[in-house]
Amino acid sequence: MPYSALSHLDCPRCGAQRDPGRVQGTCSCGSPLLARYDLELAARQVSPRDIAARPADLWRYHELLPVGDPRYVVTLGEGMTPLLAMPRLGKALGVPNLLIKDEGTMPTGTFKARGAAVGVSRAAELGVRAVAMPTNGNAGAAWSAYAARAGMRSLIVMPAAAPAVTRAACAAFGAELHLVDGLIGDAAGLVADALRRRPGYCDVGTLKEPYRVEGKKTMGLEIAEQLGWGMPAVIVYPAGGGVGIIGIYKALRELAELGWVCGALPRLVAVQPAGCAPIVTAFRAGAAHSEPWPEPKTVAFGLTVPKALGDFLVLGALRATGGTAVAVTDEALLADQREVARLEGCFVCPEGAACITAVRQLRESGWLSAADEVVVLNTGTGLIYPDTVPARAAALP
Ligand SMILES: *Cc1c(COP(=O)(O)O)cnc(C)c1O
Ligand SMILES: [Zn+2]
């Protein structure tokens, strides 16, 4: 019985197939490649009941993950984050069945650890000894942590404006860190230059390799398992590069094919800040691709992605599930960040807070009903961005 049911890689745009036994980047047509599994084999080999008996981390789904030999698994205990009911917040928003999947408890503080754990493990298995990536900060922290754990070198390039704590994390994990006075696209340019001079390094930027999305897929697997192999009516996700929502959609389709969930897939909602909303704009225009956002600016730094490589996959997932895309202002999301903390004791990151604002707006517009079970992804801890909340402390009299 194989540890993984991985069968091949294929291109969602042109249909080309690739050998997963070799290091692969994007398809020759430019699209990201996606991992495919022998789901009939997996269905014969494992059941939800087997999975329930396994350790509480994302490797419990190893048949649906790409690592073929458990000796290559690089882990810091990631996954099976809590799916928390939000009764007070839900009541205030008119959505009583509101849940937050809280990724703030992940190693390095964000859900980026999922993609890094699976991506680094699979890279190690394929013989990669060094990885390089442009990042808005959180992915760099996560990938340099897992690279350190794997004994791998990492080269990280991020905007100078990225959250300072992510810089500190990369330095602590021994990454070669470079800052660029610009955006993530400028960082990507520097990484591409460096890679030309360093043949041993593998480009692990967003959707540049096929396995990060497999790690992020586990959010969808966990949501289904935590709801008793059921699905909520709606899943709300803060989209930057969109890897998480692509992964969740992929997970739910694989679970439906396995026969572990049934019924309509949840309506998927992508949330972006008004200061950088290329996917929302494309969704409204009925376009298949987004246009580069001219001057992105938002406190939700992880969402500062002016043009995503996988934009067409995100837009496809929203449309296929009857979902939607919502833009929210920084002012509104910062107010909701405090509201979640005050009402529920949960300090969400600005990206997660943006999803709460989106729920508020979608309930007001009637797109959400009071009966809908809604799962919001809080993609990281608020502690990464301490400056988003003004802390006034009066002296004791
Ligand atoms: C990277 C990031 C996002 C966006 O994730 P994508 O998979 O790129 O869409 C959201 N929230 C946080 C905290 C992030 O670091
Ligand atoms: Zn292709």
Side-chain angles (χ1 to χ4, degrees):
M1 293 226 190
Y3 188 70
S4 167
L6 180 67
S7 60
H8 61 283
L9 301 172
D10 75 14
C11 173
R13 184 186 284 152
C14 75
Q17 296 208 355
R18 292 282 182 278
D19 175 8
R22 296 176 40 198
V23 175
Q24 300 281 3
T26 50
C27 182
S28 48
C29 79
S31 165
L33 292 169
L34 295 177
R36 301 298 178 195
Y37 297 82
D38 183 344
L39 294 174
E40 274 176 37
L41 173 75
R44 282 198 305 275
Q45 183 175 328
V46 63
S47 70
R49 192 202 296 234
D50 300 324
I51 286 179
R54 292 178 179 173
D57 62 41
L58 61 77
W59 299 100
R60 67 205 272 110
Y61 308 109
H62 58 76
E63 287 89 351
L64 305 178
L65 293 173
V67 178
D69 181 339
R71 284 175 304 175
Y72 290 101
V73 166
V74 182
T75 181
L76 292 163
E78 57 288 332
M80 283 310 265
T81 54
L83 183 62
L84 301 169
M86 292 286 139
R88 287 201 189 86
L89 178 66
K91 188 159 176 246
L93 296 177
V95 184
N97 299 317
L98 178 67
L99 300 142
I100 289 185
K101 176 104 174 123
D102 190 10
E103 299 283 298
T105 60
M106 291 291 278
T108 71
T110 73
F111 78 138
K112 291 292 196 302
R114 292 182 189 270
V118 174
V120 166
S121 298
R122 181 65 179 154
E125 183 167 48
L126 294 173
V128 171
R129 305 299 310 145
V131 292
M133 68 170 7
T135 169
N136 276 329
N138 291 328
W143 281 75
S144 56
Y146 284 88
R149 184 106 165 126
M152 215 179 254
R153 286 192 302 281
S154 57
L155 168 65
I156 309 288
V157 187
M158 69 172 74
V165 67
T166 65
R167 232 154 41 214
C170 291
F173 296 129
E176 179 183 341
L177 174 66
H178 299 277
L179 300 181
V180 23
D181 194 13
L183 297 168
I184 188 165
D186 304 296
L190 286 190
V191 169
D193 281 349
L195 285 169
R196 273 191 285 279
R197 279 173 280 112
R198 302 191 196 195
Y201 279 74
C202 182
D203 184 351
V204 295
T206 304
L207 292 170
K208 289 291 182 68
E209 54 74 52
Y211 302 115
R212 184 201 292 208
V213 62
E214 294 305 295
K216 290 206 177 172
K217 179 178 88 175
T218 58
M219 289 186 291
L221 302 177
E222 289 178 19
I223 289 169
E225 184 179 359
Q226 289 170 320
L227 294 175
W229 300 103
M231 292 186 290
V234 176
I235 296 178
V236 186
Y237 177 81
V243 189
I245 199 165
I246 295 167
I248 289 170
Y249 180 57
K250 187 171 187 288
L252 296 173
R253 297 219 308 171
E254 288 173 0
L255 290 177
E257 209 176 316
L258 282 165
W260 294 3
V261 298
C262 52
L265 295 189
R267 290 175 281 157
L268 299 179
V269 179
V271 182
Q272 297 195 301
C276 184
I279 289 175
V280 178
T281 306
F283 182 82
R284 288 194 185 135
H289 289 266
S290 63
E291 295 300 323
W293 194 263
E295 280 176 43
K297 193 161 172 33
T298 173
V299 292
F301 205 78
L303 307 182
T304 317
V305 181
K307 166 75 186 168
L309 193 58
D311 55 0
F312 69 104
L313 296 172
V314 177
L315 290 161
L318 302 182
R319 292 186 178 122
T321 59
T324 190
V326 182
V328 305
T329 64
D330 278 9
E331 198 183 14
L333 73 87
L334 287 172
D336 277 326
Q337 185 190 32
R338 288 195 290 277
E339 194 70 354
V340 184
R342 197 175 62 80
L343 289 177
E344 301 284 6
C346 184
F347 190 15
V348 300
C349 61
E351 294 84 351
C355 293
I356 298 299
T357 304
V359 167
R360 182 187 292 284
Q361 289 177 192
L362 290 171
R363 183 69 188 98
E364 278 166 11
S365 74
W367 194 89
L368 283 176
S369 84
D372 286 331
E373 186 174 42
V374 178
V375 171
V376 160
L377 271 303
N378 174 44
T379 43
T381 168
L383 296 172
I384 293 173
Y385 309 77
D387 302 335
T388 54
V389 180
R392 284 181 218 93
L396 268 179

